[in-house]
Amino acid sequence: MLQIHLDQKPLSVNEAWKGKRFKTDKYKSFEKAVLFQMPAKKINPELLLRVELFFGFSSSLSDIDNPVKMILDIAQKKYGFNDRNIFELNIRKCKVEKGKEFIDIGIYNLLPFE
């Protein structure tokens, strides 16, 4: 359905919000950069979805789940779906050289089990 590759370093949760979920300037800049890189497309908001996320981190200390919420929030803002319709979420990470960080996003129709 939709596959996206972003040449963007994943942002950690600590870098994203201050206090009780106020977006930091770094998050606002990250969100703007990611939205700009994502292709224009709409996703039917009624569909049940499967999402795949693949993060390339330059630090082996990076937690796999840190950027998940931010990426899902930005994707639903861009594509007009609600993350409550995500019924399957697959997350992977790998170690890359500094400056080669990335985020891959796949958004698909949830295939029913038969």
Side-chain angles (χ1 to χ4, degrees):
M1 178 183 213
L2 179 62
Q3 293 181 329
I4 305 158
H5 175 85
L6 305 173
D7 291 319
Q8 185 71 42
K9 179 180 178 179
L11 198 59
S12 76
V13 171
N14 293 335
E15 293 175 310
W17 288 286
K18 48 186 165 184
K20 293 193 180 246
R21 305 284 283 199
F22 294 103
K23 292 179 182 177
T24 62
D25 290 339
K26 197 165 188 176
Y27 182 129
K28 292 173 188 174
S29 176
F30 174 78
E31 181 179 48
K32 186 176 179 179
V34 168
L35 286 168
F36 181 74
Q37 291 180 65
M38 291 176 146
K41 184 170 174 114
K42 285 291 180 190
I43 294 175
N44 181 340
E46 303 300 316
L47 291 177
L48 304 181
L49 301 173
R50 173 175 61 91
V51 175
E52 296 182 359
L53 301 173
F54 184 28
F55 300 107
F57 294 112
S58 59
S59 171
S60 57
L61 301 176
S62 297
D63 292 343
I64 193 170
D65 62 334
N66 255 347
V68 172
K69 177 68 173 153
M70 288 168 282
I71 291 299
L72 292 180
D73 286 348
I74 293 168
Q76 70 180 337
K77 181 176 186 175
K78 178 74 173 192
Y79 299 116
F81 67 91
N82 191 309
D83 60 1
R84 70 174 173 239
N85 286 350
I86 299 173
F87 281 76
E88 182 178 339
L89 178 61
N90 298 301
I91 309 165
R92 293 185 304 157
K93 74 174 184 177
C94 69
K95 177 126 174 30
V96 297
E97 294 178 31
K98 192 163 189 70
K100 302 284 186 182
E101 297 91 348
F102 68 88
I103 304 165
D104 284 341
I105 306 166
I107 304 172
Y108 310 95
N109 291 343
L110 180 70
L111 299 176
F113 290 102
E114 297 186 20

